Amino acid sequence: MRAATVSRFGGPDAVEITEHPVPMPGPGQVRIKVAAAALNPVDAAMRSGVFGGEERIGLGWDVAGTVDAVGPGVTWSADDRVIALATGHHTPLGTHADYVVLDADTLAPAPTTLDDTHAATLPLNTTTAAQALRLLALVPGQSLLVTGAGGGVGAHTVELAHQQGLEVTGLASADYKEFLISRGADHFLARGQALAPAGFDGVLDAAGLGSDALAAVRDGGAYAGLWPGQEPRSERGIRVGALSVQADGALLTELSRLADQGVLLARVAQTYPLHAAVEAHARLAEGGLRGRIVLIP
């Protein structure tokens, strides 16, 4: 089978399409025939060496497809439509492949209202948003600032925070205002506007503003970043954390249900065939995408 991998770090041209044996599921595992797999900024970070590694690394964290084979002790059945999140920075094979083997408890039923291409955009970004909100531990009625609110994680955080009863302010480029208000933001700030000091109970800093975002949190509030090790130092009694996302099939099942209910909107910017992964990475590097690039085997 084919898989997108890197054996050296660099730009988009570091991505290779390599041949591998079709993996076999072990006890408690499932093999998925990949129908679609989103391309995320974390894949570009892996490709460029942010997370290091000395062996060939497989790319891809998101997957939508059908169950193809199961190992002992698994209740999933062949041809079940599923989505899943494959976490890990140094795995030999990721989801940008014809097949992927994952632990059965990381899978969730695919949303019935979405095709595989759109469903493939959900696992990483929605799981990250949901786990970041858990990390912040705000309660209904409290105020949340989401920086980078136009991006995949940011927009889903706005949607989930609204659904949880938080008062949400989205910070993004000015042309995202109408979109974010439609997705549940109570207030909008255009990128470049001054942030009111100590004005929010919590912030999800999807844009990586660091100390500037921290300054917008009230004394004793909460800050969550998305890149462990890059979060600002705590001050004024603010809880500071950075999320290391974890695959969670039960959580993803609930998020799939919310997608079917229209709470979560799947956004696809462009699709590329798997063999054009280099071109897909180049397009991601250009920026300006409204939604995810999705690779189709």
Side-chain angles (χ1 to χ4, degrees), residues 104-198:
D105 61 5
T106 65
L107 276 61
T112 60
T113 57
L114 298 180
D115 60 23
D116 290 324
T117 301
H118 285 80
T121 69
L122 294 175
L124 175 59
N125 291 168
T126 62
T127 299
T128 301
Q131 292 181 353
L133 286 171
R134 286 181 180 175
L135 182 63
L136 288 167
L138 301 179
V139 299
Q142 287 192 299
S143 59
L144 172 69
L145 171 66
V146 181
T147 75
V153 172
H156 289 316
T157 302
V158 168
E159 293 167 331
L160 290 173
H162 172 74
Q163 191 249 357
Q164 293 174 17
L166 301 179
E167 182 180 352
V168 188
T169 298
L171 171 65
S173 61
D175 55 348
Y176 276 102
K177 180 178 181 178
E178 183 177 337
F179 167 73
L180 289 171
I181 295 298
S182 75
R183 299 313 304 162
D186 299 285
H187 312 285
F188 178 81
L189 290 172
R191 189 169 57 207
Q193 281 185 256
L195 294 174

Side-chain angles (χ1 to χ4, degrees), residues 61 85 87-88 123-129 131 226 228 242-247:
W61 292 47
L85 169 60
T87 55
L124 175 59
N125 291 168
T126 62
T127 299
T128 301
Q131 292 181 353
L226 300 182
L243 180 70
S244 181
V245 66
Q246 300 296 316

Side-chain angles (χ1 to χ4, degrees), residues 266-281:
R267 293 183 292 162
V268 175
Q270 280 182 260
T271 62
Y272 287 82
L274 177 61
H275 67 75
V278 170
E279 290 87 340
H281 274 255

Side-chain angles (χ1 to χ4, degrees), residues 27-48:
Q29 293 185 318
V30 170
R31 185 171 71 208
I32 300 170
K33 181 175 176 57
V34 179
L39 176 63
N40 288 283
V42 69
D43 295 301
M46 291 171 63
R47 181 204 74 221
S48 60

